[in-house]
Amino acid sequence: MRRPVARSLVARSLAVSAVSAVVVTVGAAAPPATVATTPAKVPVAVGYGGAVASVDADASAAGIDVLKHGGNAVDAAVATAAALGVTEPYSSGIGGGGYFVYYDAKSRTVHTIDGRETAPLSADQNLFVENGKALAFADAVTSGLSIGTPGTPATWQTALDNWGSRKLGSVLKPAERIARDGFTVDDTFRTQTASNETRFRYFPATAQLFLPGGQLPVVGSTFKNPDLARTYEELGRKGVADIYRGALGKDIVSTVNNPPVDPSSGYNARPGKLSAADLAAYRAKLQASTKVDYRGLGVYSIAPSSSGGTTVGEALNILEKTDLSKASEVQYLHHFIEASRIAFADRGRWVGDPAFEDVPAKGLLSQSYADSRACLIKDDAVLTSPLAPGDPSNPAACGTGGTAAPTTYEGENTTHLTVADKWGNVVSYTLTIEQTGGSAITVPGRGFILNNELTDFSFTPANPAVHDPNLPGPGKRPRSSISPTIVLDKHNKPVVALGSPGGATIITTVLQTLTEFLDRKLPLVDAIAAPRASQRNAANTELEPGLYNSDLRTQLAAIGHSFTLNPEIGAATGVQRLANGEWLAAAETVRRGGGSAMVVDPAP
């Protein structure tokens, strides 16, 4: 029932993964301008010296170039992320935020950065309420009101300051070159532009950049972003203070508070409330990771404000006492779906920004609490959603506490990259501007779109009878589902690292990929390619076509499951440490046009 992956996939990848990096050499003066060709896009590569996996070949090549010239995993991760800001501008960029998970090989420890966007200091729980009613999502998303203080630049600088070996200006050079010289437009870029065309035309700066000549970009053409090239150069020269206390920040504030709308469009873009004080107050947070023990392995991820680490961790704990390796395909999927349902019920009640909410992360991640919830799962029956949450501080066997609340909407875009270096350091990094195209508002003359992350807040309580930890607040970080994950063995050495975009489906994508790889023993690229299911405490479980159109759906329906079709869930990447010291990089085979896996020195 699995989508087959050709046995020749690794061999074919090895033949082309030794591409020449088409970027300016990091740490050196820029060479004379040359015509660059986009490297081949392959989903798996094996070799030595380090590895990079992302959705885009130019971005992966940027990271590989840094590794080839002596940079470490952190340097390469920032370079890859900056390049994605050029080639995947509707998913990421310096106008957004994200979460960074780092494994330090020398100390064998995991560290994390919360680089989530924040609400303005003037915001309150009624940020998205007008005349006593919640704004329509469409009115909120394409507005200054949806834009939070960007956290990505601060994340890059914090990572480099703590664990990097290169300066920001150096690792931005590859992305600066791609923005200046251009990249080749593919089907995904054109399709994503088309899906945002109406919104983009509201804003002249956005239309001028992404609809050149008033038209959609043509597949195979070269897309250039000279404004972003200049922005990266300025950021590298002046540092991130230019965003948080300088001229670039002033441009952001002006754009948010006075959205530059085309008057002839008739569109009402609500102004935001961002101030210079909001930018100056922003900090990317160094914080402890989440951790659960699963099958004798340590699974590390990001702690709240993201719900990713606690929700994936709780679901793994729920599954711990079920031998998924011996379960039938139907029973494996049944238990995966039910564990996801339970974990999402608890997420909705308990997880928010811990600076504002009492988040019982330790309880949510305890095995004893998971055991009290796991006994709800029956082999021959299906739980009903919305399922009520449990109480981590007072677990009751097979019990639920309080009142059920539905899972709120979360945009399904973002991008993820995974990097490893020759010293054994690993980065799993997910960054975002929220939904595809973010707010649709480009900062004039700067070349990047601003986020719409504040729409990840609950506009009003999901259930008025239940405390909602995800309402807006002054300087508060909206709850995220981002789940960058690193798995270590009993010696605290890396086994695998992975992550995915996809809004709230990130959690189920990471959980399914982990269990497919660790329990079902699929090769990493096959675990990433496998057709996905996503249950988020809803009446129906979403299935990709590979499952929806299979006999497995019929067998699961016989137990009591209900389904809806989702054409595409997530777009994961990962790296795996092999027993002989090689790295294996893996990315999507089909989703988003396939991903790009590369290594520094391919295995012979």
Side-chain angles (χ1 to χ4, degrees), residues 112-189:
T112 76
I113 301 172
D114 179 334
R116 183 63 155 162
E117 303 86 341
T118 56
L121 295 169
S122 60
D124 59 24
Q125 66 177 9
N126 294 315
L127 180 65
F128 293 110
V129 175
E130 284 187 2
N131 302 317
K133 294 183 179 180
L135 278 176
F137 184 83
D139 292 333
V141 65
T142 311
S143 74
L145 203 60
S146 71
I147 300 169
T149 303
T152 291
T155 300
W156 293 352
Q157 192 62 65
T158 301
L160 292 170
D161 286 347
N162 284 275
W163 314 299
S165 67
R166 298 288 188 270
K167 293 188 179 299
L168 179 63
S170 174
V171 297
L172 290 180
K173 285 296 181 185
E176 183 185 329
R177 198 275 315 155
I178 297 169
R180 182 185 66 246
D181 295 347
F183 63 92
T184 302
V185 172
D186 61 11
D187 287 323
T188 299
F189 187 83

Side-chain angles (χ1 to χ4, degrees), residues 314 346 349-350 359-366 368-369 372-373 389-396:
E314 180 184 350
D346 292 336
R349 170 60 184 87
W350 298 108
V359 181
K362 184 176 179 180
L364 289 170
L365 291 170
S366 71
S368 60
Y369 179 64
S372 76
R373 300 288 275 160
D391 184 352
S393 63
N394 188 27

Side-chain angles (χ1 to χ4, degrees), residues 12 72 89 101 132 166 209 257 336 366 378 384 467 477 483 498 524 558 581:
R12 288 191 292 107
N72 65 22
V101 178
R166 298 288 188 270
L209 176 57
N257 296 337
F336 157 71
S366 71
K378 308 300 180 186
T384 301
H467 173 74
R477 299 174 188 230
S483 312
L498 56 86
L524 182 58

Side-chain angles (χ1 to χ4, degrees), residues 256-449:
V256 172
N257 296 337
N258 299 283
V261 180
D262 179 355
S264 67
S265 70
Y267 181 72
N268 173 29
R270 289 168 172 78
K273 300 179 180 181
L274 196 68
S275 70
D278 294 318
L279 292 176
Y282 186 85
R283 298 292 184 273
K285 293 183 177 181
L286 287 163
Q287 62 185 35
S289 67
T290 61
K291 184 202 173 190
V292 295
D293 294 315
Y294 186 70
R295 317 294 191 206
L297 303 171
V299 182
Y300 296 80
S301 190
I302 191 74
S305 59
S306 181
S307 64
T310 54
T311 311
V312 171
E314 180 184 350
L316 287 173
N317 283 340
I318 289 170
L319 294 169
E320 174 73 26
K321 294 183 179 179
T322 300
D323 190 349
L324 299 179
S325 67
K326 295 180 180 178
S328 68
E329 192 73 1
V330 170
Q331 278 299 310
Y332 159 66
L333 289 169
H334 170 63
H335 280 261
F336 157 71
I337 288 168
E338 296 295 77
S340 299
R341 188 193 311 271
I342 294 167
F344 263 90
D346 292 336
R347 164 195 185 264
R349 170 60 184 87
W350 298 108
V351 183
D353 183 345
F356 292 78
E357 305 290 338
D358 182 14
V359 181
K362 184 176 179 180
L364 289 170
L365 291 170
S366 71
Q367 188 62 54
S368 60
Y369 179 64
D371 292 344
S372 76
R373 300 288 275 160
C375 59
L376 292 168
I377 301 176
K378 308 300 180 186
D379 287 342
D380 58 354
V382 173
L383 294 166
T384 301
S385 287
L387 181 72
D391 184 352
S393 63
N394 188 27
C398 302
T400 58
T403 305
T407 299
T408 53
Y409 175 78
E410 191 174 330
E412 292 191 6
N413 209 270
T414 302
T415 194
H416 180 82
L417 62 97
T418 320
V419 180
D421 64 29
K422 63 184 179 183
W423 297 284
N425 304 303
V426 180
V427 171
S428 185
Y429 180 26
T430 314
L431 61 160
T432 180
I433 57 171
E434 217 271 333
Q435 76 169 57
T436 307
S439 67
I441 303 174
T442 298
V443 181
R446 296 297 191 170
F448 63 91
I449 298 174

